[in-house]
Amino acid sequence: QVQLQESGPGLVKPSETLSLTCAVSGYSISSGYYWGWIRQSPGKGLEWIGSISYSGNTYYNPSLKSRVTISVDMSKNQFSLKLSSVTAADTAVYYCARHERVEYDSSGYDIWGQGTMVTVSS
Amino acid sequence: DIQMTQSPSSLSASVGDRVTITCRASQSIRTYLNWYQHKPGEAPNLLICAASSLQAGVPSRFSGSGSGTDFTLTISSLQPEDFATYYCQQSYTTPRTFGPGTKVDIK
């Protein structure tokens, strides 16, 4: 059974970098799929942040691209999100999720982590 | 970016009711449309992918239809566990975008 689990600080100061990790169990990241980050700000909808392929190719939402880095650590079977220069607008529940393709994707996000709340505040 | 809209934004319904939620894309996305159920404190759950393919384990009272720009999620007989927020999401191109959600609550 494939499972994803997010981890990282729950509180980040404004202007600093938010760093989260998604640990994958039950499946080897290097075997395939794309691995993405999605967030939901309080009272708002879901927003795709970006994704990384099993081969390390990255795809980012243009609205966040200048501040986002997604990377993968095959040895630990996990992938990570870094979001720089955060503001209160980045306060959200952050989810990691799996999908088959970035475009022309008929599968959707089939496996999700439980989500982790990150608050940006001094 | 492809904008996704949903209607209604919320609805009140009773157990046993038939519920229909509409999702519209700002341009054709063929059938690259997915539906999720989201309950507070939980991860979203994929119900339907590719507009009409029911995910394994999802009750058959859920169904999806549509192509191009107009899509529908139908719950044939609403059950107590179905009260949640439902999102559509296009996976045709990047950035992958979600609809604003439809909250289904108890009448």
Side-chain angles (χ1 to χ4, degrees):
Chain A
Q1 182 182 3
V2 181
Q3 293 184 318
L4 280 63
Q5 180 66 58
E6 305 90 347
S7 62
L11 182 64
V12 181
K13 290 182 169 56
S15 80
E16 295 190 344
T17 296
L18 178 159
S19 295
L20 297 174
T21 295
C22 181
V24 180
S25 59
Y27 187 86
S28 173
I29 286 180
S30 61
S31 296
Y33 284 95
Y34 288 73
W35 307 90
W37 288 97
I38 299 113
R39 70 181 183 179
Q40 184 173 35
S41 301
K44 295 188 178 180
L46 295 159
E47 179 182 32
W48 173 69
I49 300 170
S51 300
I52 189 165
S53 73
Y54 61 94
S55 58
N57 295 319
T58 53
Y59 307 82
Y60 300 134
N61 192 323
S63 67
L64 298 166
K65 185 175 183 177
S66 64
R67 300 193 291 129
V68 173
T69 302
I70 297 175
S71 59
V72 63
D73 186 337
M74 300 293 189
S75 66
K76 295 183 178 179
N77 209 40
Q78 64 187 33
F79 60 105
S80 300
L81 168 70
K82 291 188 184 299
L83 181 65
S84 65
S85 304
V86 297
T87 69
D90 296 309
T91 293
V93 177
Y94 286 77
Y95 297 98
C96 56
R98 185 183 81 167
H99 56 109
E100 285 192 356
R101 295 180 180 85
V102 173
E103 297 182 322
Y104 309 111
D105 173 26
S106 295
S107 71
Y109 298 106
D110 64 341
I111 307 289
W112 294 67
Q114 281 299 302
T116 186
M117 180 68 201
V118 179
T119 301
V120 178
S121 175
S122 56
Chain B
D1 298 5
I2 295 177
Q3 307 301 320
M4 307 299 294
T5 57
Q6 288 181 235
S7 61
S9 57
S10 65
L11 66 90
S12 295
S14 300
V15 172
D17 284 353
R18 180 182 182 89
V19 170
T20 299
I21 299 169
T22 297
C23 175
R24 177 165 290 175
S26 60
Q27 66 185 74
S28 176
I29 56 172
R30 293 159 59 177
T31 56
Y32 294 102
L33 190 283
N34 311 300
W35 289 98
Y36 301 86
Q37 177 190 66
H38 195 194
K39 297 178 180 179
E42 299 183 8
N45 180 45
L46 178 64
L47 299 174
I48 289 169
C49 61
S52 60
S53 296
L54 198 66
Q55 279 291 100
V58 174
S60 60
R61 62 181 179 273
F62 291 93
S63 64
S65 65
S67 66
T69 60
D70 295 317
F71 302 86
T72 300
L73 172 70
T74 300
I75 309 172
S76 60
S77 178
L78 198 67
Q79 297 302 300
E81 59 268 31
D82 300 337
F83 293 97
T85 300
Y86 293 84
Y87 294 94
C88 61
Q89 177 249 331
Q90 66 84 13
S91 50
Y92 177 67
T93 190
T94 58
R96 299 161 68 95
T97 46
F98 291 84
T102 295
K103 185 176 182 179
V104 177
D105 60 22
I106 302 172
K107 181 183 288 185

mmCIF file of all heavy atoms in Angstrom, chain A residues 8-58:
data_model
loop_
_atom_site.group_PDB
_atom_site.id
_atom_site.type_symbol
_atom_site.label_atom_id
_atom_site.label_comp_id
_atom_site.label_asym_id
_atom_site.label_seq_id
_atom_site.Cartn_x
_atom_site.Cartn_y
_atom_site.Cartn_z
ATOM 1 N N GLY A 8 7.693 18.646 8.474
ATOM 2 C CA GLY A 8 8.388 19.921 8.424
ATOM 3 C C GLY A 8 7.858 20.867 9.481
ATOM 4 O O GLY A 8 6.867 20.551 10.165
ATOM 5 N N PRO A 9 8.498 22.013 9.620
ATOM 6 C CA PRO A 9 8.086 22.974 10.648
ATOM 7 C C PRO A 9 6.670 23.473 10.423
ATOM 8 O O PRO A 9 6.252 23.709 9.282
ATOM 9 C CB PRO A 9 9.095 24.117 10.475
ATOM 10 C CG PRO A 9 10.249 23.520 9.754
ATOM 11 C CD PRO A 9 9.682 22.462 8.877
ATOM 12 N N GLY A 10 5.941 23.651 11.500
ATOM 13 C CA GLY A 10 4.584 24.164 11.413
ATOM 14 C C GLY A 10 4.509 25.676 11.456
ATOM 15 O O GLY A 10 3.459 26.252 11.184
ATOM 16 N N LEU A 11 5.636 26.301 11.796
ATOM 17 C CA LEU A 11 5.686 27.761 11.898
ATOM 18 C C LEU A 11 6.936 28.273 11.204
ATOM 19 O O LEU A 11 8.052 27.792 11.470
ATOM 20 C CB LEU A 11 5.690 28.180 13.369
ATOM 21 C CG LEU A 11 5.703 29.677 13.666
ATOM 22 C CD1 LEU A 11 4.436 30.343 13.150
ATOM 23 C CD2 LEU A 11 5.871 29.920 15.166
ATOM 24 N N VAL A 12 6.749 29.226 10.315
ATOM 25 C CA VAL A 12 7.869 29.823 9.580
ATOM 26 C C VAL A 12 7.734 31.339 9.666
ATOM 27 O O VAL A 12 6.619 31.873 9.562
ATOM 28 C CB VAL A 12 7.867 29.376 8.101
ATOM 29 C CG1 VAL A 12 9.064 29.982 7.360
ATOM 30 C CG2 VAL A 12 7.896 27.855 7.998
ATOM 31 N N LYS A 13 8.841 32.019 9.835
ATOM 32 C CA LYS A 13 8.810 33.481 9.932
ATOM 33 C C LYS A 13 8.738 34.108 8.543
ATOM 34 O O LYS A 13 9.254 33.555 7.564
ATOM 35 C CB LYS A 13 10.048 33.982 10.664
ATOM 36 C CG LYS A 13 10.086 33.655 12.150
ATOM 37 C CD LYS A 13 11.322 34.231 12.809
ATOM 38 C CE LYS A 13 11.252 34.158 14.316
ATOM 39 N NZ LYS A 13 11.019 32.798 14.825
ATOM 40 N N PRO A 14 8.088 35.260 8.465
ATOM 41 C CA PRO A 14 8.032 35.975 7.180
ATOM 42 C C PRO A 14 9.427 36.223 6.637
ATOM 43 O O PRO A 14 10.363 36.489 7.398
ATOM 44 C CB PRO A 14 7.337 37.288 7.560
ATOM 45 C CG PRO A 14 6.517 36.949 8.754
ATOM 46 C CD PRO A 14 7.312 35.940 9.517
ATOM 47 N N SER A 15 9.545 36.126 5.329
ATOM 48 C CA SER A 15 10.768 36.312 4.550
ATOM 49 C C SER A 15 11.691 35.102 4.588
ATOM 50 O O SER A 15 12.662 35.047 3.829
ATOM 51 C CB SER A 15 11.551 37.564 4.986
ATOM 52 O OG SER A 15 12.306 37.323 6.147
ATOM 53 N N GLU A 16 11.400 34.124 5.437
ATOM 54 C CA GLU A 16 12.242 32.931 5.489
ATOM 55 C C GLU A 16 11.769 31.883 4.470
ATOM 56 O O GLU A 16 10.858 32.122 3.689
ATOM 57 C CB GLU A 16 12.264 32.372 6.915
ATOM 58 C CG GLU A 16 12.925 33.333 7.905
ATOM 59 C CD GLU A 16 13.171 32.709 9.262
ATOM 60 O OE1 GLU A 16 12.590 31.654 9.558
ATOM 61 O OE2 GLU A 16 13.946 33.315 10.042
ATOM 62 N N THR A 17 12.440 30.727 4.491
ATOM 63 C CA THR A 17 12.137 29.665 3.537
ATOM 64 C C THR A 17 11.379 28.531 4.212
ATOM 65 O O THR A 17 11.816 28.018 5.244
ATOM 66 C CB THR A 17 13.422 29.122 2.893
ATOM 67 O OG1 THR A 17 14.036 30.165 2.124
ATOM 68 C CG2 THR A 17 13.126 27.937 1.978
ATOM 69 N N LEU A 18 10.267 28.179 3.635
ATOM 70 C CA LEU A 18 9.461 27.043 4.080
ATOM 71 C C LEU A 18 10.054 25.779 3.478
ATOM 72 O O LEU A 18 10.300 25.727 2.259
ATOM 73 C CB LEU A 18 8.026 27.253 3.606
ATOM 74 C CG LEU A 18 6.923 26.237 3.858
ATOM 75 C CD1 LEU A 18 5.565 26.939 3.734
ATOM 76 C CD2 LEU A 18 6.985 25.062 2.906
ATOM 77 N N SER A 19 10.273 24.777 4.319
ATOM 78 C CA SER A 19 10.846 23.522 3.826
ATOM 79 C C SER A 19 10.018 22.343 4.327
ATOM 80 O O SER A 19 9.831 22.184 5.535
ATOM 81 C CB SER A 19 12.288 23.366 4.321
ATOM 82 O OG SER A 19 13.120 24.367 3.784
ATOM 83 N N LEU A 20 9.532 21.538 3.398
ATOM 84 C CA LEU A 20 8.743 20.359 3.727
ATOM 85 C C LEU A 20 9.287 19.144 2.987
ATOM 86 O O LEU A 20 9.848 19.265 1.905
ATOM 87 C CB LEU A 20 7.274 20.565 3.349
ATOM 88 C CG LEU A 20 6.516 21.667 4.064
ATOM 89 C CD1 LEU A 20 5.120 21.817 3.469
ATOM 90 C CD2 LEU A 20 6.427 21.400 5.554
ATOM 91 N N THR A 21 9.063 17.987 3.597
ATOM 92 C CA THR A 21 9.474 16.732 2.989
ATOM 93 C C THR A 21 8.287 15.798 2.929
ATOM 94 O O THR A 21 7.436 15.795 3.830
ATOM 95 C CB THR A 21 10.605 16.088 3.804
ATOM 96 O OG1 THR A 21 11.759 16.929 3.744
ATOM 97 C CG2 THR A 21 10.967 14.714 3.256
ATOM 98 N N CYS A 22 8.218 15.008 1.872
ATOM 99 C CA CYS A 22 7.184 13.991 1.725
ATOM 100 C C CYS A 22 7.861 12.626 1.619
ATOM 101 O O CYS A 22 8.569 12.362 0.637
ATOM 102 C CB CYS A 22 6.345 14.267 0.488
ATOM 103 S SG CYS A 22 5.002 13.071 0.229
ATOM 104 N N ALA A 23 7.672 11.812 2.626
ATOM 105 C CA ALA A 23 8.238 10.468 2.627
ATOM 106 C C ALA A 23 7.264 9.503 1.966
ATOM 107 O O ALA A 23 6.076 9.494 2.289
ATOM 108 C CB ALA A 23 8.537 10.030 4.060
ATOM 109 N N VAL A 24 7.786 8.716 1.039
ATOM 110 C CA VAL A 24 6.965 7.757 0.303
ATOM 111 C C VAL A 24 7.271 6.340 0.789
ATOM 112 O O VAL A 24 8.438 5.951 0.872
ATOM 113 C CB VAL A 24 7.230 7.856 -1.211
ATOM 114 C CG1 VAL A 24 6.361 6.859 -1.978
ATOM 115 C CG2 VAL A 24 6.965 9.275 -1.700
ATOM 116 N N SER A 25 6.246 5.589 1.110
ATOM 117 C CA SER A 25 6.423 4.196 1.490
ATOM 118 C C SER A 25 5.538 3.314 0.621
ATOM 119 O O SER A 25 4.494 3.753 0.137
ATOM 120 C CB SER A 25 6.085 3.984 2.968
ATOM 121 O OG SER A 25 4.763 4.372 3.234
ATOM 122 N N GLY A 26 5.978 2.097 0.405
ATOM 123 C CA GLY A 26 5.213 1.163 -0.405
ATOM 124 C C GLY A 26 5.441 1.287 -1.903
ATOM 125 O O GLY A 26 4.832 0.544 -2.684
ATOM 126 N N TYR A 27 6.292 2.189 -2.299
ATOM 127 C CA TYR A 27 6.588 2.375 -3.726
ATOM 128 C C TYR A 27 7.899 3.129 -3.846
ATOM 129 O O TYR A 27 8.151 4.072 -3.096
ATOM 130 C CB TYR A 27 5.472 3.168 -4.414
ATOM 131 C CG TYR A 27 5.624 3.269 -5.916
ATOM 132 C CD1 TYR A 27 5.131 2.266 -6.744
ATOM 133 C CD2 TYR A 27 6.269 4.354 -6.500
ATOM 134 C CE1 TYR A 27 5.281 2.332 -8.118
ATOM 135 C CE2 TYR A 27 6.426 4.429 -7.873
ATOM 136 C CZ TYR A 27 5.924 3.415 -8.686
ATOM 137 O OH TYR A 27 6.074 3.488 -10.049
ATOM 138 N N SER A 28 8.710 2.731 -4.817
ATOM 139 C CA SER A 28 9.974 3.415 -5.049
ATOM 140 C C SER A 28 9.767 4.577 -6.002
ATOM 141 O O SER A 28 9.287 4.390 -7.128
ATOM 142 C CB SER A 28 11.011 2.449 -5.628
ATOM 143 O OG SER A 28 12.178 3.156 -6.002
ATOM 144 N N ILE A 29 10.115 5.779 -5.550
ATOM 145 C CA ILE A 29 9.950 6.976 -6.391
ATOM 146 C C ILE A 29 10.634 6.793 -7.745
ATOM 147 O O ILE A 29 10.127 7.253 -8.773
ATOM 148 C CB ILE A 29 10.511 8.208 -5.661
ATOM 149 C CG1 ILE A 29 9.576 8.654 -4.529
ATOM 150 C CG2 ILE A 29 10.745 9.356 -6.626
ATOM 151 C CD1 ILE A 29 10.073 9.871 -3.773
ATOM 152 N N SER A 30 11.764 6.122 -7.753
ATOM 153 C CA SER A 30 12.543 5.972 -8.981
ATOM 154 C C SER A 30 11.871 5.065 -10.009
ATOM 155 O O SER A 30 12.284 4.997 -11.163
ATOM 156 C CB SER A 30 13.939 5.433 -8.664
ATOM 157 O OG SER A 30 13.847 4.156 -8.057
ATOM 158 N N SER A 31 10.787 4.395 -9.607
ATOM 159 C CA SER A 31 10.105 3.468 -10.512
ATOM 160 C C SER A 31 9.137 4.159 -11.461
ATOM 161 O O SER A 31 8.730 3.565 -12.474
ATOM 162 C CB SER A 31 9.346 2.412 -9.700
ATOM 163 O OG SER A 31 10.240 1.610 -8.959
ATOM 164 N N GLY A 32 8.742 5.381 -11.125
ATOM 165 C CA GLY A 32 7.812 6.071 -12.018
ATOM 166 C C GLY A 32 6.941 7.064 -11.284
ATOM 167 O O GLY A 32 7.165 7.383 -10.127
ATOM 168 N N TYR A 33 5.951 7.585 -12.007
ATOM 169 C CA TYR A 33 4.998 8.564 -11.510
ATOM 170 C C TYR A 33 5.621 9.954 -11.342
ATOM 171 O O TYR A 33 6.843 10.143 -11.458
ATOM 172 C CB TYR A 33 4.369 8.123 -10.168
ATOM 173 C CG TYR A 33 3.332 7.045 -10.317
ATOM 174 C CD1 TYR A 33 3.676 5.702 -10.161
ATOM 175 C CD2 TYR A 33 2.017 7.367 -10.606
ATOM 176 C CE1 TYR A 33 2.728 4.711 -10.304
ATOM 177 C CE2 TYR A 33 1.058 6.370 -10.739
ATOM 178 C CZ TYR A 33 1.420 5.050 -10.587
ATOM 179 O OH TYR A 33 0.470 4.067 -10.721
ATOM 180 N N TYR A 34 4.754 10.898 -11.102
ATOM 181 C CA TYR A 34 5.125 12.256 -10.748
ATOM 182 C C TYR A 34 4.689 12.506 -9.315
ATOM 183 O O TYR A 34 3.707 11.922 -8.844
ATOM 184 C CB TYR A 34 4.445 13.263 -11.690
ATOM 185 C CG TYR A 34 5.032 13.267 -13.084
ATOM 186 C CD1 TYR A 34 4.789 12.226 -13.966
ATOM 187 C CD2 TYR A 34 5.846 14.319 -13.506
ATOM 188 C CE1 TYR A 34 5.328 12.219 -15.227
ATOM 189 C CE2 TYR A 34 6.393 14.327 -14.780
ATOM 190 C CZ TYR A 34 6.129 13.277 -15.636
ATOM 191 O OH TYR A 34 6.670 13.275 -16.889
ATOM 192 N N TRP A 35 5.390 13.379 -8.656
ATOM 193 C CA TRP A 35 5.183 13.611 -7.232
ATOM 194 C C TRP A 35 5.007 15.111 -7.023
ATOM 195 O O TRP A 35 5.893 15.893 -7.322
ATOM 196 C CB TRP A 35 6.378 13.047 -6.461
ATOM 197 C CG TRP A 35 6.611 11.615 -6.857
ATOM 198 C CD1 TRP A 35 7.398 11.166 -7.869
ATOM 199 C CD2 TRP A 35 5.982 10.466 -6.284
ATOM 200 N NE1 TRP A 35 7.301 9.793 -7.958
ATOM 201 C CE2 TRP A 35 6.445 9.331 -6.999
ATOM 202 C CE3 TRP A 35 5.080 10.265 -5.237
ATOM 203 C CZ2 TRP A 35 6.022 8.030 -6.704
ATOM 204 C CZ3 TRP A 35 4.672 8.976 -4.938
ATOM 205 C CH2 TRP A 35 5.144 7.880 -5.659
ATOM 206 N N GLY A 36 3.842 15.470 -6.531
ATOM 207 C CA GLY A 36 3.496 16.881 -6.514
ATOM 208 C C GLY A 36 3.194 17.449 -5.137
ATOM 209 O O GLY A 36 3.006 16.707 -4.162
ATOM 210 N N TRP A 37 3.169 18.768 -5.109
ATOM 211 C CA TRP A 37 2.786 19.513 -3.913
ATOM 212 C C TRP A 37 1.573 20.380 -4.251
ATOM 213 O O TRP A 37 1.532 21.041 -5.284
ATOM 214 C CB TRP A 37 3.927 20.403 -3.431
ATOM 215 C CG TRP A 37 5.070 19.647 -2.822
ATOM 216 C CD1 TRP A 37 6.235 19.268 -3.434
ATOM 217 C CD2 TRP A 37 5.152 19.167 -1.473
ATOM 218 N NE1 TRP A 37 7.038 18.583 -2.547
ATOM 219 C CE2 TRP A 37 6.393 18.510 -1.343
ATOM 220 C CE3 TRP A 37 4.317 19.233 -0.352
ATOM 221 C CZ2 TRP A 37 6.808 17.927 -0.139
ATOM 222 C CZ3 TRP A 37 4.720 18.653 0.838
ATOM 223 C CH2 TRP A 37 5.956 18.006 0.936
ATOM 224 N N ILE A 38 0.616 20.354 -3.363
ATOM 225 C CA ILE A 38 -0.629 21.121 -3.486
ATOM 226 C C ILE A 38 -0.888 21.771 -2.137
ATOM 227 O O ILE A 38 -0.562 21.197 -1.101
ATOM 228 C CB ILE A 38 -1.813 20.195 -3.847
ATOM 229 C CG1 ILE A 38 -1.578 19.506 -5.197
ATOM 230 C CG2 ILE A 38 -3.135 20.967 -3.866
ATOM 231 C CD1 ILE A 38 -1.377 18.038 -5.107
ATOM 232 N N ARG A 39 -1.449 22.973 -2.137
ATOM 233 C CA ARG A 39 -1.749 23.619 -0.870
ATOM 234 C C ARG A 39 -3.165 24.159 -0.850
ATOM 235 O O ARG A 39 -3.778 24.369 -1.897
ATOM 236 C CB ARG A 39 -0.756 24.729 -0.563
ATOM 237 C CG ARG A 39 -0.885 25.966 -1.457
ATOM 238 C CD ARG A 39 0.164 27.003 -1.074
ATOM 239 N NE ARG A 39 0.023 28.219 -1.860
ATOM 240 C CZ ARG A 39 0.804 29.288 -1.719
ATOM 241 N NH1 ARG A 39 1.806 29.275 -0.817
ATOM 242 N NH2 ARG A 39 0.612 30.354 -2.456
ATOM 243 N N GLN A 40 -3.652 24.374 0.368
ATOM 244 C CA GLN A 40 -4.968 24.967 0.562
ATOM 245 C C GLN A 40 -4.872 26.004 1.662
ATOM 246 O O GLN A 40 -4.672 25.653 2.833
ATOM 247 C CB GLN A 40 -6.015 23.921 0.920
ATOM 248 C CG GLN A 40 -7.412 24.503 1.044
ATOM 249 C CD GLN A 40 -8.477 23.454 1.240
ATOM 250 O OE1 GLN A 40 -8.261 22.432 1.887
ATOM 251 N NE2 GLN A 40 -9.654 23.689 0.670
ATOM 252 N N SER A 41 -4.982 27.249 1.277
ATOM 253 C CA SER A 41 -4.972 28.332 2.250
ATOM 254 C C SER A 41 -6.295 28.346 3.003
ATOM 255 O O SER A 41 -7.310 27.889 2.474
ATOM 256 C CB SER A 41 -4.753 29.672 1.545
ATOM 257 O OG SER A 41 -3.537 29.663 0.830
ATOM 258 N N PRO A 42 -6.289 28.864 4.239
ATOM 259 C CA PRO A 42 -7.511 28.859 5.052
ATOM 260 C C PRO A 42 -8.701 29.476 4.326
ATOM 261 O O PRO A 42 -8.624 30.606 3.820
ATOM 262 C CB PRO A 42 -7.107 29.693 6.272
ATOM 263 C CG PRO A 42 -5.639 29.498 6.386
ATOM 264 C CD PRO A 42 -5.144 29.415 4.970
ATOM 265 N N GLY A 43 -9.767 28.729 4.246
ATOM 266 C CA GLY A 43 -10.982 29.225 3.628
ATOM 267 C C GLY A 43 -10.934 29.314 2.117
ATOM 268 O O GLY A 43 -11.859 29.847 1.502
ATOM 269 N N LYS A 44 -9.878 28.789 1.527
ATOM 270 C CA LYS A 44 -9.736 28.882 0.070
ATOM 271 C C LYS A 44 -9.647 27.503 -0.569
ATOM 272 O O LYS A 44 -9.683 26.476 0.108
ATOM 273 C CB LYS A 44 -8.513 29.732 -0.274
ATOM 274 C CG LYS A 44 -8.648 31.183 0.174
ATOM 275 C CD LYS A 44 -7.524 32.037 -0.347
ATOM 276 C CE LYS A 44 -7.707 33.492 0.061
ATOM 277 N NZ LYS A 44 -6.613 34.364 -0.450
ATOM 278 N N GLY A 45 -9.515 27.498 -1.860
ATOM 279 C CA GLY A 45 -9.471 26.251 -2.600
ATOM 280 C C GLY A 45 -8.066 25.666 -2.693
ATOM 281 O O GLY A 45 -7.129 26.107 -2.024
ATOM 282 N N LEU A 46 -7.949 24.681 -3.542
ATOM 283 C CA LEU A 46 -6.696 23.946 -3.695
ATOM 284 C C LEU A 46 -5.844 24.567 -4.810
ATOM 285 O O LEU A 46 -6.370 24.951 -5.857
ATOM 286 C CB LEU A 46 -7.005 22.489 -4.022
ATOM 287 C CG LEU A 46 -7.730 21.734 -2.903
ATOM 288 C CD1 LEU A 46 -8.459 20.513 -3.455
ATOM 289 C CD2 LEU A 46 -6.728 21.307 -1.827
ATOM 290 N N GLU A 47 -4.556 24.611 -4.580
ATOM 291 C CA GLU A 47 -3.625 25.210 -5.542
ATOM 292 C C GLU A 47 -2.446 24.273 -5.777
ATOM 293 O O GLU A 47 -1.763 23.883 -4.831
ATOM 294 C CB GLU A 47 -3.120 26.560 -5.023
ATOM 295 C CG GLU A 47 -2.119 27.245 -5.942
ATOM 296 C CD GLU A 47 -1.606 28.548 -5.373
ATOM 297 O OE1 GLU A 47 -1.504 28.655 -4.127
ATOM 298 O OE2 GLU A 47 -1.283 29.465 -6.155
ATOM 299 N N TRP A 48 -2.214 23.950 -7.046
ATOM 300 C CA TRP A 48 -1.040 23.151 -7.408
ATOM 301 C C TRP A 48 0.201 24.027 -7.306
ATOM 302 O O TRP A 48 0.265 25.091 -7.907
ATOM 303 C CB TRP A 48 -1.208 22.603 -8.819
ATOM 304 C CG TRP A 48 -0.013 21.892 -9.379
ATOM 305 C CD1 TRP A 48 0.493 20.678 -8.971
ATOM 306 C CD2 TRP A 48 0.808 22.312 -10.458
ATOM 307 N NE1 TRP A 48 1.572 20.336 -9.736
ATOM 308 C CE2 TRP A 48 1.797 21.318 -10.662
ATOM 309 C CE3 TRP A 48 0.827 23.433 -11.292
ATOM 310 C CZ2 TRP A 48 2.773 21.406 -11.654
ATOM 311 C CZ3 TRP A 48 1.791 23.527 -12.283
ATOM 312 C CH2 TRP A 48 2.745 22.526 -12.446
ATOM 313 N N ILE A 49 1.208 23.540 -6.567
ATOM 314 C CA ILE A 49 2.458 24.269 -6.409
ATOM 315 C C ILE A 49 3.463 23.825 -7.456
ATOM 316 O O ILE A 49 4.121 24.650 -8.105
ATOM 317 C CB ILE A 49 3.051 24.041 -5.007
ATOM 318 C CG1 ILE A 49 2.080 24.527 -3.929
ATOM 319 C CG2 ILE A 49 4.412 24.722 -4.871
ATOM 320 C CD1 ILE A 49 2.462 24.127 -2.526
ATOM 321 N N GLY A 50 3.588 22.524 -7.635
ATOM 322 C CA GLY A 50 4.533 21.999 -8.604
ATOM 323 C C GLY A 50 4.687 20.503 -8.445
ATOM 324 O O GLY A 50 4.148 19.906 -7.506
ATOM 325 N N SER A 51 5.435 19.903 -9.364
ATOM 326 C CA SER A 51 5.636 18.463 -9.361
ATOM 327 C C SER A 51 7.042 18.131 -9.827
ATOM 328 O O SER A 51 7.687 18.942 -10.513
ATOM 329 C CB SER A 51 4.637 17.766 -10.282
ATOM 330 O OG SER A 51 3.299 18.003 -9.889
ATOM 331 N N ILE A 52 7.467 16.945 -9.474
ATOM 332 C CA ILE A 52 8.750 16.435 -9.933
ATOM 333 C C ILE A 52 8.539 15.027 -10.461
ATOM 334 O O ILE A 52 7.745 14.262 -9.912
ATOM 335 C CB ILE A 52 9.804 16.472 -8.805
ATOM 336 C CG1 ILE A 52 11.191 16.149 -9.348
ATOM 337 C CG2 ILE A 52 9.422 15.545 -7.640
ATOM 338 C CD1 ILE A 52 12.328 16.510 -8.394
ATOM 339 N N SER A 53 9.215 14.708 -11.555
ATOM 340 C CA SER A 53 9.089 13.381 -12.126
ATOM 341 C C SER A 53 10.043 12.417 -11.444
ATOM 342 O O SER A 53 10.974 12.818 -10.736
ATOM 343 C CB SER A 53 9.373 13.424 -13.620
ATOM 344 O OG SER A 53 10.758 13.600 -13.842
ATOM 345 N N TYR A 54 9.836 11.136 -11.735
ATOM 346 C CA TYR A 54 10.702 10.105 -11.175
ATOM 347 C C TYR A 54 12.143 10.280 -11.668
ATOM 348 O O TYR A 54 13.078 9.815 -11.036
ATOM 349 C CB TYR A 54 10.184 8.719 -11.538
ATOM 350 C CG TYR A 54 10.142 8.452 -13.012
ATOM 351 C CD1 TYR A 54 11.210 7.829 -13.652
ATOM 352 C CD2 TYR A 54 9.052 8.830 -13.783
ATOM 353 C CE1 TYR A 54 11.184 7.582 -15.007
ATOM 354 C CE2 TYR A 54 9.019 8.598 -15.140
ATOM 355 C CZ TYR A 54 10.087 7.979 -15.748
ATOM 356 O OH TYR A 54 10.054 7.752 -17.094
ATOM 357 N N SER A 55 12.300 10.972 -12.809
ATOM 358 C CA SER A 55 13.637 11.190 -13.362
ATOM 359 C C SER A 55 14.215 12.539 -12.939
ATOM 360 O O SER A 55 15.321 12.883 -13.342
ATOM 361 C CB SER A 55 13.592 11.118 -14.885
ATOM 362 O OG SER A 55 12.686 12.061 -15.400
ATOM 363 N N GLY A 56 13.458 13.292 -12.144
ATOM 364 C CA GLY A 56 13.976 14.543 -11.604
ATOM 365 C C GLY A 56 13.584 15.800 -12.350
ATOM 366 O O GLY A 56 14.013 16.897 -11.987
ATOM 367 N N ASN A 57 12.756 15.688 -13.382
ATOM 368 C CA ASN A 57 12.283 16.883 -14.082
ATOM 369 C C ASN A 57 11.252 17.609 -13.229
ATOM 370 O O ASN A 57 10.380 16.983 -12.631
ATOM 371 C CB ASN A 57 11.662 16.511 -15.425
ATOM 372 C CG ASN A 57 12.670 15.931 -16.381
ATOM 373 O OD1 ASN A 57 13.803 16.416 -16.463
ATOM 374 N ND2 ASN A 57 12.294 14.890 -17.099
ATOM 375 N N THR A 58 11.351 18.931 -13.191
ATOM 376 C CA THR A 58 10.454 19.709 -12.346
ATOM 377 C C THR A 58 9.507 20.583 -13.158
ATOM 378 O O THR A 58 9.844 21.034 -14.260
ATOM 379 C CB THR A 58 11.249 20.595 -11.374
ATOM 380 O OG1 THR A 58 12.193 21.378 -12.120
ATOM 381 C CG2 THR A 58 11.978 19.760 -10.342
#
